[in-house]
Every structure is written in structure tokens, then in C-alpha cells.
Amino acid sequence: MENYQIVPWAEQVLSPDVVHEQYVPPELEMLARQVMEQYDMQVNEMVLITSKPDKGGAIWKIDTDKGNRSIKVLHRRPQRSLFSIGAQEYMSGLGYRVPSFIPTRDGSIYVEAGGKLWIVTEWIEPLLPVSKIDLEGAAELCFGLGEFHKNSKGYVPPYGSERSSRIYGWTKYYEKIIAKIRWFRDIAQAYPETAASGSLLAVVDDFERQAIEVFEKFKLSPYTKMIAKGEPHWGLAHQDYGWSNGQMGPGGIWVIDLDGVSYDLPFRDLRKLITSTMDDMGVWDVTWIRGMIDAYHQANPIDQETFEILWLDMAFPNEFYKHVKEIVFEPLLFLQTELEPILQRVMATESSKWQVLAELEMDKSKYPAGDYTAEEITPFVFERPVLIPGNMILTDPAAVETSSETPVYTPPILADNASEIPTPVIVSDPGPTLVQVPTWAPMKFTLRIPKRRTSLKPKRIKKLSKFKKKKQKKLIKIKPGTRKYKRGTKKSFARKYVLLKPRKKTTKQKKGFKKTTKALKKKKSYLRRKTA
């Protein structure tokens, strides 16, 4: 198992009664048991909760002599996963409602195995989803989201992690969506005979116009001065927050599955939650939206600038894009079988969207103006040792010897194995730096629609046939007899001869044929003169 590398297993052929999300390869489960041996616990039972076969991730509930816990393999790159692990350690260390890590015998908060990072966390009990059928449940979920965003402010990732940030990418995100909406039109025009082609062409122009109008307003918004505050000021967005990843537990809403957290304007999580809820309801309800925003505001106060960006993000045709984007992968099948009912549902919801947004726009004055002057963020200090992928250790920066003027950052110590890890060398993160906000240039996106095949003959067979033609060789046959030899063989003869023509001649073969004919004519002339 030492050389086993975790890879996605979605392409594996399983029996019809096996659900991909409830299956992991036997090698992965064996690796999980080896990882658990590095923890001070006795495992009695191990139950797979869910897996990600298309990405290579999984989570198990384990019954141990220390109580119920969970073990999880993070499917992202180890350095990227370290960013998320640091965020969860930061928040749990401050007492916020996210699962805390169980350290290994060596004091590390994760294990690296199979090319991925593994974590063991406490199992929060009880955890129950809030109600989806009434506003009270949605408000509780939004309040918990506001708490999570507020508590994540000031996070600085550990040294050696891969920084994940989307805070500066909103402009490019909108440009990308506009470009892809245009792709939708191109694809529908490329398959005019499909069932949903006409329906898509009838609405795509309106959605493109909406996207462009919202994007032009976004360019004039306070977005630039807001992101100039820097990433730690805004904190983290969960990126996948909803009724499954935010559940009611001891003391309030617990946020779980922090694998994909990233620096961002955090209220994008709120926008996703609002628009997806309206899409599930089939109609935009101003009472629900105001209730969800107010609940979030109670936990993490928003200002006029925040409300303006939130409103613009809701106005952008995100749900249309989310439902139709699959057309790019299998256009013919999607247009023929799936798109028509999707468009009907999207358009039914769209009919109430703009009236609600017009009412919400007037709520901007209810919120105070924001203060976006520069501020200094104090970096978070990791009290436990943080093991960087590659057996490198980081600990408390307070023990680093520094000069009175400039801090000294000592490189991490490498260790061959856990038992030989020397005394940790102290390394501190340089902390937040002044970020130069980039000026985005318009991006160009190109759509390539696959060409249709005009022949039923597979391309591979054509290539083999062409290869055989190139390898054909001209032969000369001597009569009488059946002896054959390759063109160019030097052998004198005086018998009558003929040339066997290939079935199909390439340009090179024709030239060779002419040269061979000239040589034979010269030989024939020589023989006649000799016998005369």
C-alpha cells in the first residue's frame, strides 16, 4: 500500500446494484485503516457515509473506544487541502461551531497518504437539518452562515499552503458567464433539428442582455474599493453552503465539510442560498428573501455597499447558466432529451424575479454606509504543530529568534519519518501584505463545437488503411515461372517480363513506376542489340 495513489474511480464498472457514492475501492479502505493506526484510538466499526468517485474523496463514521469520530480523505491537492485544514483549525481553536481535529500520536492534525491528506474529527451529535418548508428554517440557516463568515475574518493560512482566493475574480467570473451564454446560442444554432433548439434560441438573447446590463452596473459598483481591504478582512466563503452542510446542533448551527473554503466576498454564499431556494420554490418571494437577508445581517452586519453587490449578484442570470451549462458537454443528447423541461421551469421562476428585485432595490437605504479605509490584520498563531505535505513542520512563531528590525523566517526542517522528527523549527507567516488590485482586461473565450462525422466508418480503420497503402511495394514478375522480387533488385535476365501495377498508386509510386519502366526499356534495347 506504500505506492498506492488515490485516483477517481468513477469510470470503474460496478454491478448494477452498487451506488457509486456508496462505494470505494478496497485499496482505499485498506489505506484508511492504516491511517487510523497513527491515532491513539481503537476502531470498532467503520461505516462509509459518502464518497466522491469522480474526484477521489470519501468520509467514514468510525466507532472508537473514545467515542464516535469521522475520518475523511480530502480529494484536492495536499497544499490546497492544507489551506482548508488551517481554516478549520483556526475557527475550532477559537471555539466556533466547526468540528475540531483529533491529533495523531505525533501531534499533527492530519496524515498524508496516497497522495492526499486525511483528517480525523469529532463526530457532532446530534446534528439535524433545519426545515426547508418555512422561512424560520431558512432564517436559522442564514444566521448560522453569517456567524461562520464573521468568525472566519482575520484568518491567515499556514506557511506552505496553497492560497485559495476568489475575491479578485468576480469580474472574470461575469465575463466567463456572458461568453458561455453566447456559446449556448451557437450550440442551438448548430443543432437546429433538436427538440429544445428553438426554445433555447427564443430566450437566450434576453438572458444575454440581462447579463450584460448587470455587468455594466457592476463595473460602476464599489467592488474595487471593497476588495482593496484585503482577504483577511472579508474572511472565508464556504462555497457549498446549504441544508446539508449547515445543520442544527449543540448551541446553534454547525458548519461542516469545509474542504472548499476560499477567500471571497462572503455574501456570495448568501446569494447562492437565496437564488437556489427561490429556484426550488418555483417563484421569487420577497418576504422570504428579506427574512433571509435580515437573519444574516443580525449575525454578520452588512452595509450599503455589500447590499448593492449582493443585489447585482442576484440579478445576474446565475440560475439560467447553472441549469443550461451541461449543454456544452453533450449538446445533442441534452438538447434532445433534457433541456425543454428545464427551460420551462427557469422561465416560470423568471416571471416573478424582476418584480421582487425592484422591491428589494429600495431596501439599500436601510443599511449604513461602509467604512473602507485601510486597516491592519493581526496574523493568527497556530498553537499546534502544523505538518506541511512533505514531512515539514511549523509551530509557534513566538520562539523564532528575530532581530529588532526585520523578522527572520527559518526554512522548515525535513524529516524522513515521524519517529525521527527533530525539535520543530519555528516559522511565522509574514502576515497580510498590501494587495495591488488588478485592472482586469476583457477575457476572450472560444467555443469549439465537435464536427459531425459524415461516414460511419471509424476513423481508426481509415488510418490503418492509409498506413497499409503507404507500405505497398511494387513487384516485377518473370514469365514463365512464379518468382517475384522487389523493385530495384540487381539481377540480369533475358526473359520476357511484365510490370504488375498496384491497385492504387500514390504520387511517389507513380514516379517510381516511371523510373522502373525506363530502366526496363533500356535493358530490353540492350538485349535486342546483343542478340541481333
Side-chain angles (χ1 to χ4, degrees):
M1 295 299 295
E2 292 181 1
N3 298 326
Y4 175 69
Q5 296 295 303
I6 302 172
V7 295
W9 57 88
E11 300 300 324
Q12 290 188 14
V13 179
L14 306 176
S15 59
D17 58 332
V18 175
V19 180
H20 269 282
E21 288 72 18
Q22 296 297 322
Y23 169 84
V24 295
E27 298 85 355
L28 182 62
E29 184 170 340
M30 291 176 60
L31 188 60
R33 295 185 182 278
Q34 290 184 8
V35 169
M36 289 187 291
E37 292 176 0
Q38 301 190 38
Y39 290 83
D40 184 18
M41 61 185 182
Q42 181 66 41
V43 179
N44 303 319
E45 186 180 10
M46 182 177 179
V47 179
L48 179 66
I49 301 301
T50 187
S51 69
K52 295 182 178 180
D54 58 329
K55 297 179 179 179
I59 182 172
W60 294 264
K61 180 181 180 181
I62 53 177
D63 176 24
T64 75
D65 58 339
K66 305 293 178 63
N68 290 331
R69 294 175 175 177
S70 70
I71 180 171
K72 185 173 187 178
V73 54
L74 308 180
H75 67 269
R76 292 177 172 82
R77 296 180 299 277
Q79 287 76 14
R80 170 62 180 87
S81 295
L82 184 58
F83 178 92
S84 304
I85 290 174
Q88 190 165 341
E89 173 74 352
Y90 168 73
M91 299 183 71
S92 65
L94 295 176
Y96 301 133
R97 287 188 294 274
V98 298
S100 59
F101 293 114
I102 306 298
T104 65
R105 290 188 176 94
D106 301 326
S108 176
I109 55 178
Y110 71 86
V111 174
E112 184 175 7
K116 304 293 182 181
L117 300 189
W118 298 71
I119 56 174
V120 174
T121 63
E122 59 176 334
W123 187 268
I124 309 302
E125 292 180 310
L127 276 184
L128 298 172
V130 297
S131 174
K132 297 181 66 173
I133 61 175
D134 54 47
L135 178 56
E136 182 180 356
E140 289 176 337
L141 196 64
C142 292
F143 184 86
L145 179 62
E147 286 184 315
F148 174 80
H149 289 162
K150 183 178 180 180
N151 296 337
S152 70
K153 292 182 178 181
Y155 168 63
V156 176
Y159 176 77
S161 64
E162 180 182 321
R163 201 179 194 91
S164 177
S165 179
R166 301 185 181 183
I167 192 171
Y168 305 113
W170 283 52
T171 301
K172 288 188 176 182
Y173 170 80
Y174 287 138
E175 289 177 340
K176 181 188 72 172
I177 302 304
I178 292 172
K180 288 191 175 183
I181 290 176
R182 290 167 180 163
W183 292 4
F184 300 163
R185 180 192 297 105
D186 296 339
I187 293 173
Q189 291 173 347
Y191 297 92
E193 72 282 0
T194 54
S197 175
S199 300
L200 180 57
L201 290 173
V203 301
V204 69
D205 290 343
D206 289 336
F207 283 109
E208 182 186 7
R209 175 184 50 78
Q210 289 177 18
I212 293 174
E213 289 178 355
V214 172
F215 183 47
E216 292 302 321
K217 292 180 179 180
F218 175 80
K219 291 178 182 178
L220 303 175
S221 72
Y223 168 75
T224 302
K225 70 177 183 179
M226 292 171 71
I227 62 176
K229 296 287 285 184
E231 295 160 331
H233 169 83
W234 293 102
L236 302 167
H238 189 281
Q239 306 295 345
D240 191 28
Y241 186 80
W243 269 263
S244 60
N245 291 333
Q247 297 190 31
M248 185 63 69
I253 293 291
W254 284 72
V255 181
I256 59 177
D257 291 342
L258 276 67
D259 308 6
V261 294
S262 176
Y263 283 127
D264 203 346
L265 296 180
F267 45 85
R268 170 152 281 177
D269 280 340
L270 179 61
R271 191 277 299 166
K272 291 180 180 179
L273 188 60
I274 291 174
T275 56
S276 63
T277 301
M278 298 301 102
D279 182 62
D280 292 340
M281 293 173 60
V283 62
W284 280 57
D285 189 316
V286 68
T287 303
W288 269 65
I289 297 177
R290 279 176 172 157
M292 295 172 76
I293 295 176
D294 289 344
Y296 180 91
H297 176 66
Q298 292 176 26
N300 186 30
I302 61 178
D303 51 36
Q304 289 185 8
E305 290 80 359
T306 299
F307 186 86
E308 180 180 349
I309 303 296
L310 175 64
W311 187 93
L312 289 171
D313 206 28
M314 286 193 291
F316 201 78
N318 294 289
E319 298 305 308
F320 169 74
Y321 167 73
K322 182 178 76 172
H323 291 305
V324 183
K325 65 181 181 181
E326 297 299 322
I327 193 176
V328 176
F329 303 105
E330 294 186 8
L332 186 59
L333 177 64
F334 191 76
L335 281 164
Q336 196 67 34
T337 60
E338 301 180 34
L339 182 57
E340 190 66 39
I342 290 175
L343 285 178
Q344 292 177 4
R345 192 183 73 177
V346 169
M347 295 310 298
T349 308
E350 190 74 9
S351 61
S352 58
K353 173 180 177 178
W354 291 99
Q355 181 180 354
V356 169
L357 287 176
E359 294 184 45
L360 287 174
E361 193 172 16
M362 296 183 292
D363 293 350
K364 178 181 175 180
S365 59
K366 298 179 181 179
Y367 301 94
D371 178 17
Y372 291 99
T373 56
E375 64 180 22
E376 182 179 352
I377 302 294
T378 303
F380 171 69
V381 176
F382 286 87
E383 297 180 355
R384 296 181 185 173
V386 178
L387 182 64
I388 295 179
N391 294 332
M392 295 185 292
I393 304 179
L394 305 177
T395 55
D396 182 11
V400 180
E401 293 184 3
T402 59
S403 65
S404 59
E405 299 178 357
T406 306
V408 177
Y409 302 102
T410 307
I413 288 182
L414 298 177
D416 295 331
N417 52 61
S419 62
E420 297 176 330
I421 294 178
T423 303
V425 173
I426 315 304
V427 180
S428 65
D429 189 273
T433 57
L434 183 61
V435 178
Q436 181 67 33
V437 180
T439 302
W440 301 113
M443 297 181 68
K444 295 182 180 179
F445 302 88
T446 304
L447 171 65
R448 294 185 177 91
I449 300 176
K451 295 182 179 179
R452 299 185 182 183
R453 289 185 181 177
T454 56
S455 171
L456 297 177
K457 188 176 182 181
K459 291 184 176 181
R460 185 176 63 84
I461 296 177
K462 290 182 179 180
K463 290 181 179 179
L464 290 175
S465 177
K466 186 175 181 181
F467 176 79
K468 288 181 179 179
K469 289 178 183 178
K470 290 182 178 179
K471 293 296 182 183
Q472 286 179 347
K473 297 179 180 178
K474 303 180 183 67
L475 300 176
I476 297 174
K477 183 177 180 181
I478 305 172
K479 289 186 178 181
T482 58
R483 184 179 176 188
K484 299 180 180 179
Y485 64 91
K486 296 180 181 178
R487 172 175 59 85
T489 303
K490 294 182 180 180
K491 186 175 182 68
S492 62
F493 58 92
R495 298 199 176 197
K496 201 171 181 180
Y497 45 81
V498 294
L499 180 69
L500 295 181
K501 299 179 180 180
R503 285 176 292 179
K504 290 186 179 181
K505 309 180 187 63
T506 62
T507 304
K508 291 183 178 180
Q509 287 175 327
K510 290 179 180 180
K511 290 180 180 179
F513 173 73
K514 291 180 181 179
K515 291 180 181 179
T516 305
T517 305
K518 289 180 180 179
L520 293 176
K521 286 181 178 180
K522 186 180 289 188
K523 187 73 175 179
K524 183 177 180 181
S525 176
Y526 167 75
L527 292 173
R528 283 178 179 174
R529 289 198 303 270
K530 189 173 182 181
T531 56

